[in-house]
Amino acid sequence: MFQRILVANRGEIALRVIRACKELGVEAVAVYSQADRDAPYLELADRAICIGKAASADSYLNIPRLIAAAEVADVQAIHPGYGFLSENPQFAEICRSCNFEFIGPPHEAIRKMGLKTEAKVIAAQAKVASVPGSDGAVNSEAEAIRIAKSIGFPVLIKAAAGGGGKGMRVCRDEASLPSSIQAARNEAEAAFKNPSIYLEKYIDRPRHVEVQVLADHHGNVVHCWDRDCSLQRRHQKLVEEASASLPIEVRRKLGEAAVRLAKTVGYTNAGTCEFLVDAEDNFYFIEVNARIQVEHPVSEEITGIDLVKQQIRIAAGEPLPFTQDDVKSEGHAIEVRINSEDPEHGFRPSAGRITDLRVPGGPGVRWDSHARAGYSVPPNYDSLVGKLIVHAPSRPEAIARMRRALDELVIEGIKTTIPLHKAIFRHKDFIDGNVDTTWVERVLMPPKAG
Ligand code: MV4
């Protein structure tokens, strides 16, 4: 096992990795920007190193500064967390070339999965169905029109280098296809420095279901079952659940598909295969997330596996200590993301000082947060202040437990998404499981008229 790890991230996930290190007997070295100099997660690390100014480009996205911190602290491995550099193949490659183990997949796998057109080729090799669409990038208007006519309108134009919903455009007819493609190319070039686009059949009101996988360096790949992450607003997830409440045969097939995909691309460490699921429970692969995700705790709760500890063990060369048959899905877990945003005012970030914080407890309740009373949420980064996770024997009991826990949770001094979550957990559609990726914006918070 490693003696010491650099945690190349901040906030909630930095604390999550520090906690895993402590339980493994590994020293955790935290990094921080000037905006985070008073952040509570630093006190829990064995050492903390300032890596630069508040701007991400000068700190958490700055590869030379992170490598310098790793050298100064004499660590053996680097955990990138989520966001920031976690899916940057160049960072993974540089870590390894500087003799630091990157706690994540091989840079080749990150690079391939970063190109969504390449990921779909790998899915086809693995005999995993993806959404019908173009074979790779679309290079001309004529080609786009031919493909759109063969799959049928509406089509979705996606950026090859995209993901997470950025740079997507729905196109409903042939007449608007050329201008939609041009607009999508411009967005893709601006956001990803890559104008390449591809086409997919637009799936109406899909559910977003993803499968957690773990793969070691000895050829063992297991899935840790499925999560439903359909509840989102403007591509920001709000609520995640495990399981995705699909029939067991569908869940098995999803898991097996994710394992085939991971094996085909030579994946190691933790990752997620994302699928869209239609009203008939048909599933279509869309992309791979080559990192630990914000919503990983719900999979931990139903399987009893500490995914972050497994990431570290895998990177240290240990074989997975269990087989697929050992990974059981028990009960139902739900996570809500508590963001410092004002739902009453278009979810604008609401940075500021938390004056009071009272966290829920009791059976089946987990609170993953770096925040505490007196902590000031800096305006420079994402607005996640904590994740409230519940686990119970069934989905109705998990919903009741989440309602109870949300009523106990008090955060004062900043605006948060707590009132929105309370409304979701009282809504009949959510309780009945009648939600999809369009539900929040279509039903719960439709745009105001005028
Ligand atoms: C889609 C889709 C409908 N049809 N692809 C958005 C995020 C990115 N991972 C893929 N996304 C979508 N791809 C086809 N062919 C609808 C979405 C989508 C979505 C997916 C998951 C979660 C939230 C979403 C919100 C809007 C659209």
Side-chain angles (χ1 to χ4, degrees):
M1 184 39 70
F2 306 118
Q3 191 197 335
R4 208 156 32 243
I5 287 173
L6 188 85
V7 186
N9 212 301
R10 64 177 298 281
E12 186 276 325
I13 191 61
L15 178 53
R16 175 70 188 86
V17 176
I18 292 166
R19 285 174 167 155
C21 287
K22 294 232 156 140
E23 291 185 18
L24 289 170
V26 174
E27 289 173 36
V29 179
V31 297
Y32 63 101
S33 75
Q34 287 176 10
D36 281 330
R37 67 159 72 86
D38 299 319
Y41 75 90
L42 302 172
E43 292 167 28
L44 289 145
D46 292 282
R47 181 172 179 186
I49 298 177
C50 183
I51 51 168
K53 290 196 173 24
S56 298
D58 297 330
S59 51
Y60 304 107
L61 285 175
N62 191 301
I63 296 175
R65 282 163 190 259
L66 288 162
I67 296 292
E71 275 167 359
V72 165
D74 195 22
V75 301
Q76 292 86 49
I78 300 178
H79 196 302
Y82 49 66
F84 293 121
L85 294 168
S86 59
E87 291 180 281
N88 182 319
Q90 200 195 354
F91 181 55
E93 195 171 1
I94 290 171
C95 287
R96 295 222 164 107
S97 68
C98 295
N99 279 324
F100 299 116
E101 205 53 58
F102 177 78
I103 304 175
H107 64 87
E108 296 92 341
I110 304 177
R111 200 167 273 120
K112 282 182 193 152
M113 290 313 185
L115 264 190
K116 308 304 154 187
T117 42
E118 181 75 14
K120 290 184 75 162
V121 170
I122 292 158
Q125 286 169 3
K127 303 212 178 324
V128 174
S130 34
V131 185
S134 58
D135 268 331
V138 172
N139 297 306
S140 73
E141 273 179 24
E143 192 188 350
I145 290 169
R146 186 176 53 72
I147 293 160
K149 279 180 162 166
S150 82
I151 59 179
F153 286 94
V155 295
L156 194 57
I157 308 163
K158 295 187 173 183
K166 261 182 261 161
M168 299 194 325
R169 249 191 170 71
V170 185
C171 178
R172 301 192 174 273
D173 51 54
E174 185 180 337
S176 59
L177 194 55
S179 64
S180 295
I181 286 179
Q182 196 49 53
R185 277 197 199 288
N186 293 346
E187 263 176 52
E189 172 65 33
F192 315 111
K193 300 190 184 87
N194 181 348
S196 178
I197 54 104
Y198 64 106
L199 292 190
E200 277 183 358
K201 169 107 193 118
Y202 179 65
I203 312 275
D204 192 37
R205 300 190 189 178
R207 293 172 64 194
H208 170 136
V209 174
E210 55 190 33
V211 177
Q212 177 71 55
V213 298
L214 283 175
D216 68 17
H217 293 280
H218 307 272
N220 305 304
V221 184
V222 301
H223 68 79
C224 299
W225 300 99
D226 39 281
R227 302 189 281 256
D228 184 307
C229 308
S230 297
L231 278 205
Q232 59 84 42
R233 188 182 176 279
R234 295 191 190 156
H235 301 296
Q236 291 296 318
K237 291 172 185 167
L238 297 166
V239 178
E240 300 103 344
E241 303 187 46
S243 77
S245 305
L246 291 162
I248 186 65
E249 321 82 70
V250 179
R251 297 184 63 203
R252 286 228 165 77
K253 287 201 176 116
L254 272 165
E256 287 160 9
V259 167
R260 285 201 304 280
L261 243 161
K263 285 185 175 165
T264 303
V265 74
Y267 201 91
T268 57
N269 216 277
T272 304
C273 297
E274 265 185 44
F275 299 86
L276 298 179
V277 179
D278 69 16
E280 284 80 48
D281 291 345
N282 301 304
F283 61 81
Y284 307 94
F285 166 76
I286 46 171
E287 53 191 74
V288 167
N289 299 128
R291 61 174 189 276
I292 192 76
Q293 283 182 275
V294 176
E295 58 270 30
H296 76 273
V298 290
S299 300
E300 297 188 320
E301 293 301 317
I302 63 161
T303 61
I305 294 168
D306 185 318
L307 291 168
V308 180
K309 270 158 62 174
Q310 290 306 332
Q311 283 193 289
I312 297 169
R313 290 191 171 124
I314 288 167
E318 293 183 17
L320 286 173
F322 41 72
T323 65
Q324 187 66 65
D325 281 347
D326 301 322
V327 185
K328 303 275 190 260
S329 170
E330 283 177 346
H332 195 85
I334 311 181
E335 171 181 287
V336 299
R337 298 189 188 191
I338 312 292
N339 285 83
S340 56
E341 290 166 6
D342 187 354
E344 304 295 305
H345 293 99
F347 287 81
R348 66 176 173 220
S350 160
R353 186 167 173 275
I354 297 173
T355 54
D356 193 9
L357 177 60
R358 281 171 261 168
V359 302
V365 174
R366 169 172 169 183
W367 172 248
D368 275 22
S369 169
H370 59 298
R372 59 161 83 139
Y375 172 62
S376 288
V377 180
N380 313 79
Y381 314 107
D382 78 11
S383 58
L384 185 75
V385 291
K387 309 186 302 201
L388 178 58
I389 304 117
V390 298
H391 185 216
S394 66
R395 187 171 188 269
E397 289 163 288
I399 291 172
R401 184 159 278 171
M402 181 61 86
R403 281 201 188 127
R404 186 271 288 174
L406 282 168
D407 284 341
E408 288 180 29
L409 177 63
V410 176
I411 303 179
E412 271 162 23
I414 55 169
K415 297 270 197 220
T416 73
T417 45
I418 294 170
L420 175 75
H421 289 305
K422 287 182 173 171
I424 290 170
F425 281 80
R426 276 192 298 268
H427 201 291
K428 185 175 189 308
D429 289 353
F430 178 78
I431 293 164
D432 294 345
N434 286 329
V435 293
D436 57 66
T437 54
T438 67
W439 183 79
V440 174
E441 284 150 297
R442 187 168 49 78
V443 179
L444 193 66
M445 327 190 55
K448 290 197 180 82

